[in-house]
Amino acid sequence: MNEPSRQQRLTIKTQGEARQEYAAAADWLRQRPDYHQVFDYFLEIAGQAWTAAEVSERTGRPVVQHLCNQAPLEIFHAMGLQPLRLASGCCAVSRLAEAGLPALMCPMLRSAIGAQRVQAQASRVLARVIPTTCDWTVKFQELAVALPNDLQKNSSSPPVHLLELPHQRHSERGQARFQEELFLLIDFLEQKIGRRLTRSALLTSVNLYREAWAVLESLIALRRDGRLAAAWFAAICAAFLFDSIERWLTAAQTLVSYLQNQKVRPAARSVFLCGSPIIFPNLKLLRLIEEAKMYVAADELCASERLWPGGMAVDDRSVSGLIRALAGRYHRACQCPTFADNERRFNSVRAVGLPLKGIIYHVLKGCHPFDIESLTMERMAREANIPFIRIETEYSPEDARTILTRLEAFANIDHGASA
Amino acid sequence: MIIAGIDLGSTAIKLALVADGQLLWHKAAPTAPGQEKIADNLLTEGLAAVGRSGETVVRAVTGYGKHLLVGADRVIDELTANRLGVCKASDGRARSLINIGGQDVKVIRLSAKGQMTGFKMNDKCAAGCGRFFEVAARILDTEVGSFATLAANAAEAARINSTCAVFAESEIVSLMAQGVVKENIIAGLHQSVARRIAGLCAGGALEDDIYLDGGAAQNPGLVHALEDELCRDLHVLPLPQFTVAYGAAISAAMADSAAAKNSS
């Protein structure tokens, strides 16, 4: 038997560290006073890194990996596929990607690439669907294939479909192009699975996800009035990204019933969290915000509240009608900072309708679109007299104390005082 | 009642003994493993020095190591402690303050009533902070305390491009190899750090009157360089290294006073 190479040893070691990182985040949640067994399902799913093979086995569906929020989940589901988000909040696996990638790279995608390297089981990914959002996302596949899996010899990358995203979502031309893109995505997936998308399957999936969006909306309302901490919301969203919608929906409905019977706890220092995605087990900023005695009552993070694309109006139940309606939600209503016309994103902060201590704007180092839009958001916040703090960080915990100092000061700042 | 304001900083542990709002005693010790023991020793020494050994003391802790002190009566965030200390020590005149700590620089804007209305901090690297001067002092084999005198004798400030503590180290070594005299290098260091701090103060971060504190404020060479860079006058309090510890004590006194009012 051949000795493992140095790289294989590092990969195996990293697997162990990653497991510990996930377990530590889940254990921290279990030890909180607001823990209840109703959260166990979410901790089970969020508390470990699932391989595509494991997800496929658990859900009984072939897996399609995808990035970002623009590929309608209803389409995957209607075609009998399990969408699995290519996203990782794990710091440990990042080092497996560091050597072969640009130094100042989006930490989330670096971690996602690192996570692909530690998957020991043979890949059971039918395809990858990548919406062309930011530069890192567009180049994801190129970067990912440069770093082969160390534990699966002869592994090959799954076929990729680039879902071209028109970056002007309010233009009719952009909207028409995106609808066309969705039809091309369907063609691609039909070729992969060898059967057609049917109207009834799509309608069933649209209705199923409508239920999920309604539950997500209820959960959002529960966090507004202090009954659902941000760290729990992160676990709930991670489960949404990594498990079947049916299982998630059942568990989330139970959770909503439980939380609705809990006391409303209006938070004295409610904040709105904006910016780069926060994905389990990267709870660093959420923990520090709590430590600074603030409560995240709302956010607009793409792997959190923005998973909910908003209510969908279906006036035509043909496949074309349903696709048009989906395109409207997943493109026109999306607030990704890669869009050129994004006023709606800023308005969403104003529309939250809460007395806010302020806006905490999270920028992952190397996450350029959110970094760029932080300037506009800050200006908007100043104009609206909303306190604003920008926290630039990465997955590593080394800057935690410095960030805490800033957050504590932000919590104690007297924004009512005239300067 | 005696209150011990303890600032567990990244480079030094500072202790201020306060009673009735007055500073009775102060001392600093270098940060080292066993911070709790160092703080306890400072407290014992201070109480003995003011002849009040054995009295009950309220321990109000702040600084990066504030959570390391088990059994502290009050834990206060650094910026609040800093604001209170400078406000009290300046008799409420301060409207802005720049704190140059061991590992960070804080710029705080204050209202006329001494409330914090805004702040800025550098990111996690130690550029432009107290640690940066310590690194430079080691390479130059010179005490930080003599930097101001040496810089005053500089014929011209050497250009130091890097404010990264690591890169500046090689830049200083390179200047020394080129025969640039120590005085010019130190003057260049002051300018380099002042530029970086001034950058942090840009965009309306400062109001007059501006107070400078932290250990580095004891260096008049840096103060002059910063005044030059900001084109503003700076005030330095008599004990700039102790304002945060003092402010922690003031914060605890205010909290106790408020609690007493509520209970009566």
Side-chain angles (χ1 to χ4, degrees):
Chain A
M1 191 176 153
N2 291 337
E3 284 290 309
S5 67
R6 189 200 153 274
Q7 183 60 46
Q8 284 172 324
R9 283 167 58 193
L10 178 66
T11 304
I12 291 164
K13 183 171 178 258
T14 305
Q15 271 181 327
E17 289 173 358
R19 270 195 295 272
Q20 284 175 12
E21 194 178 325
Y22 277 91
D27 285 348
W28 175 72
L29 279 165
R30 269 191 207 96
Q31 283 159 22
R32 291 167 59 94
D34 56 356
Y35 163 78
H36 183 274
Q37 62 191 25
V38 74
F39 287 111
D40 282 348
Y41 159 78
F42 303 101
L43 289 180
E44 180 207 334
I45 302 298
Q48 51 192 302
W50 297 96
T51 64
E54 288 166 338
V55 172
S56 178
E57 193 173 331
R58 191 174 66 231
T59 60
R61 288 166 172 248
V63 161
V64 172
Q65 291 177 324
H66 69 108
L67 278 163
C68 304
N69 282 348
Q70 291 81 9
L73 303 174
E74 290 88 339
I75 291 176
F76 298 126
H77 186 267
M79 300 182 91
L81 302 169
Q82 174 60 41
L84 177 63
R85 184 73 158 250
L86 266 167
S88 168
C90 181
C91 180
V93 296
S94 302
R95 73 170 171 190
L96 292 177
E98 273 163 5
L101 298 178
L104 191 61
M105 181 182 171
C106 164
M108 198 275 284
L109 290 181
R110 182 167 55 209
S111 174
I113 290 173
Q116 296 299 301
R117 297 192 83 181
V118 300
Q119 299 205 350
Q121 290 165 281
S123 177
R124 299 233 306 254
V125 179
L126 184 83
R128 267 182 191 161
V129 175
I130 301 179
T132 56
T133 53
C134 70
D135 288 351
W136 293 120
T137 303
V138 171
K139 303 300 273 184
F140 178 86
Q141 187 65 11
E142 186 179 329
L143 295 168
V145 296
L147 294 170
N149 191 303
D150 308 308
L151 303 176
Q152 301 171 39
K153 290 298 162 202
N154 307 318
S155 66
S156 58
S157 186
V160 173
H161 179 82
L162 288 171
L163 181 72
E164 277 201 55
L165 192 69
H167 288 278
Q168 288 190 73
R169 59 200 174 100
H170 292 306
S171 80
E172 281 186 25
R173 192 181 52 171
Q175 290 161 21
R177 274 180 55 210
F178 188 69
Q179 285 173 33
E180 197 181 315
E181 282 298 320
L182 290 189
F183 284 111
L184 289 172
L185 170 65
I186 292 165
D187 285 347
F188 168 79
L189 294 174
E190 283 176 343
Q191 282 177 29
K192 293 291 157 214
I193 61 173
R195 62 176 184 277
R196 305 275 298 171
L197 169 69
T198 66
R199 192 192 71 88
S200 62
L202 185 56
L203 190 57
T204 302
S205 298
V206 164
N207 287 331
L208 180 66
Y209 272 89
R210 266 183 171 169
E211 281 185 66
W213 303 138
V215 169
L216 199 55
E217 197 178 3
S218 300
L219 290 167
I220 289 169
L222 286 160
R223 74 188 299 211
R224 294 283 188 275
D225 63 23
R227 287 185 276 188
L228 184 59
W232 285 119
F233 201 79
I236 294 163
C237 291
F240 179 90
L241 295 172
F242 304 126
D243 200 15
S244 77
I245 190 63
E246 290 87 352
R247 268 166 53 100
W248 182 89
L249 188 53
T250 305
Q253 283 166 334
T254 309
L255 175 63
V256 168
S257 303
Y258 163 76
L259 290 172
Q260 283 173 339
N261 288 318
Q262 301 302 302
K263 273 189 187 162
V264 173
R265 289 192 293 257
R269 291 164 164 176
S270 291
V271 293
F272 193 112
L273 183 60
C274 300
S276 305
I278 289 178
I279 294 167
F280 207 90
N282 172 31
L283 303 180
K284 179 173 78 171
L285 185 60
L286 302 179
R287 289 179 71 160
L288 292 171
I289 291 170
E290 275 196 14
E291 216 173 312
K293 300 187 173 47
M294 291 183 283
Y295 174 83
V296 181
D299 74 57
E300 57 89 62
L301 310 181
C302 60
S304 187
E305 285 194 21
R306 273 212 290 117
L307 285 173
W308 179 49
M312 190 171 111
V314 182
D315 50 9
D316 172 359
R317 295 188 165 215
S318 67
V319 169
S320 297
L322 291 169
I323 295 299
R324 271 198 303 278
L326 286 170
R329 300 319 303 163
Y330 282 86
H331 179 247
R332 197 169 65 237
C334 181
Q335 294 175 30
C336 175
T338 57
F339 286 113
D341 45 357
N342 216 17
E343 295 79 7
R344 189 189 153 118
R345 178 160 178 246
F346 311 118
N347 291 336
S348 71
V349 181
R350 291 195 188 103
V352 73
L354 284 172
L356 289 175
K357 174 73 193 168
I359 296 170
I360 297 176
Y361 198 103
H362 171 236
V363 177
L364 286 172
K365 281 196 169 103
C367 177
H368 302 139
F370 281 107
D371 199 355
I372 293 165
E373 281 207 350
S374 75
L375 301 171
T376 315
M377 188 69 93
E378 183 168 11
R379 193 173 58 244
M380 178 281 299
R382 279 190 205 288
E383 285 165 7
N385 204 24
I386 302 171
F388 180 97
I389 186 170
R390 180 178 182 280
I391 302 288
E392 185 169 341
T393 184
E394 48 199 28
Y395 280 4
S396 136
E398 68 185 33
D399 57 354
R401 299 329 293 177
T402 315
I403 293 173
L404 180 61
T405 302
R406 298 179 67 201
L407 291 173
E408 284 175 335
F410 186 69
N412 289 322
I413 204 165
D414 185 354
H415 296 287
S418 58
Chain B
M1 180 180 65
I2 291 192
I3 303 172
I6 305 167
D7 176 9
L8 293 173
S10 58
T11 53
I13 296 171
K14 286 81 68 177
L15 187 137
L17 286 183
V18 174
D20 300 323
Q22 300 304 308
L23 180 66
L24 302 180
W25 184 86
H26 63 274
K27 190 169 181 180
T31 298
Q35 295 182 56
E36 194 169 5
K37 181 76 180 159
I38 296 169
D40 280 347
N41 288 344
L42 283 173
L43 181 57
T44 305
E45 186 185 342
L47 289 172
V50 298
R52 296 175 77 162
S53 298
E55 277 194 34
T56 304
V57 177
V58 172
R59 296 193 304 167
V61 189
T62 187
Y64 276 106
K66 61 183 180 284
H67 296 293
L68 300 174
L69 204 67
V70 181
D73 298 290
R74 296 210 177 268
V75 178
I76 296 130
D77 73 272
E78 291 93 306
L79 278 82
T80 298
N82 202 169
R83 162 181 78 82
L84 290 170
V86 171
C87 277
K88 178 83 176 165
S90 70
D91 291 326
R93 284 191 289 270
R95 297 297 303 278
S96 297
L97 71 94
I98 302 169
N99 176 288
I100 307 174
Q103 286 185 358
D104 64 27
V105 176
K106 305 175 188 89
V107 179
I108 304 174
R109 209 171 58 229
L110 303 167
S111 70
K113 290 181 178 172
Q115 301 297 317
M116 182 164 58
T117 57
F119 72 91
K120 283 190 175 181
M121 279 177 71
N122 66 329
D123 54 23
K124 65 185 176 186
C125 97
C129 307
R131 182 73 77 191
F132 178 74
F133 285 107
E134 285 181 12
V135 170
R138 184 173 47 76
I139 304 162
L140 294 165
D141 195 21
T142 305
E143 291 289 321
V144 178
S146 60
F147 269 26
T149 314
L150 289 166
N153 293 325
E156 63 171 338
R159 177 81 191 174
I160 293 176
N161 296 308
S162 180
T163 48
C164 165
V166 177
F167 293 151
E169 182 171 344
S170 48
E171 204 170 345
I172 294 167
V173 170
S174 170
L175 287 168
M176 289 166 76
Q178 290 165 35
V180 178
V181 296
K182 199 182 278 189
E183 287 80 354
N184 293 3
I185 294 174
I186 293 169
L189 281 170
H190 289 159
Q191 280 189 359
S192 163
V193 169
R195 268 198 304 275
R196 188 171 173 90
I197 295 172
L200 196 63
C201 298
L206 291 178
E207 300 268 337
D208 291 327
D209 296 291
I210 308 163
Y211 282 71
L212 185 68
D213 72 349
Q218 297 172 111
N219 176 355
L222 176 63
V223 177
H224 292 146
L226 194 51
E227 284 181 324
D228 196 42
E229 201 64 44
L230 291 169
C231 301
R232 305 235 206 173
D233 293 332
L234 299 176
H235 301 277
V236 180
L237 291 162
L239 296 168
Q241 199 183 6
F242 292 92
T243 44
V244 180
Y246 179 55
I250 297 294
S251 170
M254 288 165 66
D256 281 355
S257 166
K261 255 187 201 168
N262 288 339
S263 64
S264 63

